[in-house]
Amino acid sequence: MTSPANDHLLLRPSGATDSALTSVLVFERRNYTAVKRKGRRSSAESTKMAEGHKHHNDSSQMRDLMSFDNNSGNDKPKGERANKPKDGREEKHDHGRENNSKEMAEGHKHPNYHSQVGDLMSFGNNSENDKPKHGSEDNSKGSSRQAGCSSSSTSFSPGPSSTGAVGRKRKESPSSHCQLKDLKRLPQCTSKLGELCFSKTHTVLIDVDVFKCGAGLLPKDGRDVWASNFVKMPNSLSSFILTGFKQSKQVLRWNVISKQLEGLAKKSSVSVNDVEEAIIKYNPKYKGQWSFDALSKFVKCVPKGENYFSQLFPKIAALALSLPDQVKTAIPLLQRGHTAAITLSQVQISCLLANAFFCTFPHRNTEGPRAEYGNYPSINFNSLFGNWSERKKEKLRAIMHYFKVVTNEETKPTGLVTFERRFKETDPSHWRHCKEKMPKLHVTSRGTIEREGTGMLQVDFANKWIGGGVLGSGLLQEEILFLINPELILSRLFTERLDDNECLIITGAQQFSRYTGFGDSFEWAGPHDDILERDEWQRLKRQILAIDALNFRSRREQYNMRAVIRELNKAYCGFKAHWNEPDIATGKWGCGAFNGDPQLKAVIQLMAAAKGKRGLAYFTFGDETLEQALQQMHHLLVTEDTTVEKLFGLLEQYCAVQQASGSQVDLFKFIWDNLKSSTSHL
């Protein structure tokens, strides 16, 4: 095999020499000159001949006779065009980035990379401004600022320079990079669900017998359970508060709540002060502690044309009051170490979220390791109402729009949603002996997971406390997802902190809003009409997968196999297909403030998808350098028939090199060099 030092020779046609190339060019030039000199042809015929050979000058003759690197936009082969999706925008794909890979001399199967060997860039992929600060509401429990949507990029340049390189033009070899339309989506790829039914691991909060008869969605009758493995409800007969002089009188909590909410529901217009007074009546402990500054300023700063909130507050109060009629059976907690699911109607979800809005859930206002629900995210909205910021303003616009829709009899949703916690036992040796090869991959720097990934399993770059800082100041990928799909917020009511081998999958959540921007630039962009089909269980055909990445204080912490295996197991828990399920829409998981290496996280997700037997649509959020590098790396892995076990071994070697090295080692270049070296010794 050709040595790396002589890689430029691979672009020359097999068997070609300098003298041979010169002879071809001289022959073509003489042929053209002879034709010109012939006076027997008509002037029209001569013009046609000249037109047919006009590219045979000193520079363009080689372009015609030899193939060369297609990375320049002007050097695309004939017939090659940018792929244009339905919205009319050009979407780059790998045609023009990879050239004649199967036609290279010596049998090399790698793409014809355009960058110089060793032309590496630092990653710098995390904005310091996005890092959670210790003690803030957006720390590891209060935010998922690891969303990985930072604008800086990572570079991969293992191949030879293409400048001036030439080779004989041959037919383009097919690329390993698939089109977005070739990946599986809902509803085309799903199997029949079977009958909806209640079981030990699947709690259904509607009457399934009535549902099977097609008679609608009625609440399932049951009983209240005041226990450590169930949600403690505001209307429980076991929930009391202390009132009176020095809080000496014990009163049923729901009696106080219902009295306050009935007072609001009867009014035609309710102020923020009215809302605050009502909430503090049944949360007296927090008088003077809870702030309603954000809610108050929000109502005042919204233009009159959009300011319908004083009329909406009574409707939300009425919705919250319907809790005893809407939820009649106990809601189990989705606890660590157990696979279990909860299915409930969208009306039930709206009722429960209305209670969260009015902060009625007991035992959920104290955080910390010793608190009863210290291992669960917050659910009451008090943290959203305090500490005004422009971020809170846009969050409240999305939340209030949701309540506007669900309190309107003509627009309220009528389907079901399932929240499923998956727990999977793991064995590190599985990765060492996995024979699966690389999955289908589509990489793009354009588009978003929730839009272009519609119908796929959409990855939520989650916090281990589900929802991250959605009720605080966090506004990255997970928080935005929960704001445009507010039904996801209900998962915080019953989902315990995710362990290393667990994930949460939500099926059927509705998107109510559009948005623009990210972080401080986030803005609510108006209503969204969700037109997705529904499955046999009346769930919208949308699946969202919440998986939390490790949060590395130092970037170098991730370069050890214990961390790599943890991330592999986490991704695989969610990626594993149980039947004919859709492919995955993902991106720079854990690569924002959580300090993840974009190349390493991409390889980990490729391996998990391969083992899970699913394809990937990978969105780099505007990072064109990562887009091209990942396309090229995937092409190499595919053409070299690289298995998951082979990649796992390379990651072990890479981590050892990183630990020994004092500087950053480029992962893609490391893989390239090792695969190429092993091939050259065959």
Side-chain angles (χ1 to χ4, degrees):
M1 301 298 289
T2 306
S3 66
N6 296 323
D7 275 348
H8 62 281
L9 296 180
L10 297 179
L11 298 175
R12 194 178 301 279
S14 178
T17 63
D18 290 337
S19 60
L21 294 179
T22 304
S23 298
V24 171
L25 296 178
V26 170
F27 172 78
E28 290 293 338
R29 179 173 294 176
R30 286 175 177 172
N31 182 49
Y32 174 58
T33 304
V35 170
K36 279 189 68 176
R37 288 175 177 173
K38 289 184 179 181
R40 294 189 297 272
R41 296 186 182 271
S42 66
S43 60
E45 194 173 5
S46 298
T47 302
K48 183 177 180 181
M49 179 63 71
E51 186 68 25
H53 289 78
K54 65 182 180 180
H55 56 286
H56 289 281
N57 54 40
D58 287 341
S59 60
S60 61
Q61 280 174 337
M62 282 198 179
R63 190 173 296 117
D64 182 56
L65 293 170
M66 307 300 199
S67 62
F68 56 99
D69 195 325
N70 290 336
N71 290 304
S72 167
N74 298 324
D75 294 336
K76 292 183 178 180
K78 294 180 181 179
E80 181 179 317
R81 291 175 173 81
N83 179 35
K84 292 188 178 181
K86 292 181 180 179
D87 62 4
R89 295 179 305 167
E90 280 199 352
E91 177 179 334
K92 296 180 180 179
H93 54 74
D94 64 326
H95 293 298
R97 296 192 184 100
E98 298 171 357
N99 180 40
N100 302 329
S101 58
K102 290 188 177 180
E103 304 298 335
M104 289 182 174
E106 304 276 338
H108 279 263
K109 297 180 180 179
H110 51 75
N112 182 19
Y113 300 107
H114 64 282
S115 306
Q116 292 284 356
V117 177
D119 181 19
L120 305 176
M121 298 169 61
S122 62
F123 293 86
N125 209 46
N126 303 285
S127 168
E128 289 298 322
N129 296 329
D130 284 340
K131 291 185 179 180
K133 294 181 179 179
H134 180 69
S136 73
E137 67 178 334
D138 293 318
N139 61 11
S140 62
K141 183 172 180 178
S143 176
S144 61
R145 294 188 167 208
Q146 43 76 16
C149 302
S150 54
S151 59
S152 53
S153 61
T154 177
S155 176
F156 168 47
S157 47
S161 169
S162 64
T163 307
V166 293
R168 189 177 301 277
K169 180 179 286 187
R170 293 176 184 266
K171 182 179 178 181
E172 279 283 319
S173 61
S175 169
S176 63
H177 179 249
C178 76
Q179 297 300 309
L180 197 58
K181 62 182 177 60
D182 296 329
L183 294 171
K184 295 193 299 181
R185 300 171 184 258
L186 297 170
Q188 293 81 7
C189 63
T190 51
S191 304
K192 287 189 177 292
L193 290 169
E195 289 188 344
L196 178 65
C197 61
F198 188 99
S199 70
K200 290 183 178 180
T201 58
H202 187 186
T203 300
V204 183
L205 297 185
I206 64 159
D207 190 316
V208 293
D209 293 327
V210 173
F211 175 76
K212 291 173 186 177
C213 296
L217 305 178
L218 298 180
K220 173 183 170 58
D221 289 327
R223 63 186 181 90
D224 171 55
V225 178
W226 188 265
S228 61
N229 55 341
F230 286 85
V231 174
K232 292 184 174 178
M233 298 291 284
N235 59 324
S236 172
L237 295 177
S238 299
S239 181
F240 296 91
I241 60 172
L242 296 174
T243 62
F245 180 70
K246 293 186 178 180
Q247 296 186 347
S248 59
K249 185 179 179 181
Q250 195 177 58
V251 180
L252 194 64
R253 195 163 189 269
W254 185 247
N255 287 346
V256 180
I257 292 172
S258 57
K259 180 180 179 180
Q260 296 301 317
L261 295 184
E262 283 171 1
L264 298 179
K266 289 177 181 178
K267 294 182 178 181
S268 59
S269 179
V270 169
S271 69
V272 173
N273 285 338
D274 295 333
V275 171
E276 179 180 354
E277 288 177 9
I279 291 175
I280 294 300
K281 284 288 185 181
Y282 45 85
N283 291 290
K285 178 181 178 181
Y286 299 98
K287 185 177 182 179
Q289 296 183 38
W290 285 359
S291 167
F292 292 80
D293 180 57
L295 186 61
S296 179
K297 289 186 178 179
F298 166 71
V299 171
K300 292 176 182 177
C301 75
V302 173
K304 289 185 178 180
E306 296 180 43
N307 205 325
Y308 52 84
F309 309 119
S310 61
Q311 290 77 44
L312 182 59
F313 290 144
K315 295 180 180 179
I316 303 175
L319 180 59
L321 275 170
S322 68
L323 182 63
D325 297 324
Q326 291 295 342
V327 183
K328 297 182 178 182
T329 190
I331 304 174
L333 297 173
L334 297 180
Q335 295 179 303
R336 297 158 65 187
H338 301 280
T339 293
I342 300 172
T343 294
L344 62 171
S345 72
Q346 291 180 277
V347 171
Q348 290 173 321
I349 291 174
S350 66
C351 175
L352 290 164
L353 287 178
N355 276 273
F357 182 89
F358 280 103
C359 307
T360 68
F361 287 104
H363 298 210
R364 299 303 291 264
N365 300 319
T366 304
E367 297 183 358
R370 295 185 180 180
E372 181 180 357
Y373 286 89
N375 220 23
Y376 289 78
S378 62
I379 183 61
N380 290 327
F381 278 28
N382 57 286
S383 58
L384 182 63
F385 296 154
N387 301 321
W388 164 259
S389 68
E390 286 296 319
R391 288 187 172 198
K392 292 281 188 73
K393 170 188 168 185
E394 298 305 317
K395 286 186 173 192
L396 286 166
R397 291 177 76 189
I399 295 295
M400 299 306 282
H401 171 68
Y402 165 74
F403 282 119
K404 180 181 179 182
V405 174
V406 299
T407 56
N408 186 327
E409 286 297 320
E410 296 181 357
T411 59
K412 68 178 184 180
T414 57
L416 298 179
V417 180
T418 299
F419 300 81
E420 180 187 6
R421 186 187 189 110
R422 290 186 183 177
F423 165 81
K424 185 167 182 58
E425 293 283 0
T426 55
D427 181 353
S429 65
H430 290 170
W431 299 105
R432 198 181 303 279
H433 305 294
C434 180
K435 305 295 184 182
E436 298 293 338
K437 296 180 182 178
M438 292 301 100
K440 285 184 178 180
L441 176 68
H442 174 83
V443 190
T444 178
S445 57
R446 300 186 180 189
T448 62
I449 291 173
E450 68 273 7
R451 187 175 65 241
E452 280 73 14
T454 298
M456 298 182 188
L457 180 65
Q458 301 176 356
V459 177
D460 162 22
F461 304 163
N463 194 287
K464 58 185 175 182
W465 280 276
I466 194 71
V470 64
L471 298 182
S473 294
L475 244 180
L476 298 186
Q477 193 255 12
E478 178 171 45
E479 290 88 357
I480 291 172
L481 192 62
F482 276 54
L483 290 171
I484 63 175
N485 306 275
E487 291 165 334
L488 300 178
I489 296 174
L490 189 68
S491 62
R492 297 169 65 88
L493 177 64
F494 42 70
T495 306
E496 191 174 8
R497 175 178 62 87
L498 296 175
D499 262 354
D500 289 346
N501 52 353
E502 296 179 317
C503 67
L504 183 71
I505 297 179
I506 303 101
T507 304
Q510 182 170 334
Q511 182 177 341
F512 289 83
S513 295
R514 295 178 291 109
Y515 76 96
T516 61
F518 183 82
D520 287 335
S521 66
F522 172 85
E523 290 185 9
W524 182 75
H528 173 81
D529 293 326
D530 213 332
I531 58 173
L532 294 181
E533 297 178 19
R534 293 186 182 271
D535 63 20
E536 298 145 276
W537 292 0
Q538 289 303 302
R539 303 176 304 183
L540 290 171
K541 293 184 176 180
R542 174 180 290 112
Q543 283 191 320
I544 294 171
L545 165 66
I547 50 173
D548 56 296
L550 288 172
N551 186 356
F552 301 107
R553 293 185 179 181
S554 168
R555 190 177 184 83
R556 295 189 66 82
E557 291 177 4
Q558 65 194 295
Y559 303 120
N560 70 80
M561 289 309 293
R562 182 176 180 181
V564 169
I565 291 171
R566 187 273 183 192
E567 302 293 68
L568 283 168
N569 290 337
K570 172 66 70 170
Y572 177 60
C573 180
F575 288 7
K576 179 176 170 54
H578 293 273
W579 57 80
N580 186 25
E581 293 183 309
D583 288 326
I584 300 159
T586 187
K588 297 166 73 175
W589 172 52
C591 297
F594 277 22
N595 280 322
D597 180 335
Q599 294 186 354
L600 180 57
K601 280 295 196 294
V603 170
I604 285 171
Q605 291 185 84
L606 277 174
M607 293 168 68
K611 187 172 173 61
K613 296 179 173 58
R614 277 177 157 170
L616 282 182
Y618 195 99
F619 298 87
T620 69
F621 310 115
D623 190 338
E624 294 183 358
T625 307
L626 179 61
E627 173 192 15
Q628 295 179 24
L630 183 53
Q631 285 176 1
Q632 295 163 353
M633 176 50 57
H634 179 258
H635 186 83
L636 173 66
L637 296 174
V638 169
T639 53
E640 292 291 342
D641 292 328
T642 308
T643 61
V644 170
E645 70 172 351
K646 175 66 174 177
L647 261 182
F648 186 83
L650 289 174
L651 289 181
E652 286 183 308
Q653 297 175 39
Y654 175 73
C655 286
V657 170
Q658 282 281 41
Q659 293 294 327
S661 174
S663 59
Q664 177 72 35
V665 179
D666 186 280
L667 174 60
F668 285 180
K669 183 178 184 299
F670 180 87
I671 294 173
W672 162 271
D673 288 343
N674 279 271
L675 285 179
K676 187 174 178 184
S677 175
S678 62
T679 303
S680 65
H681 288 89
L682 293 178

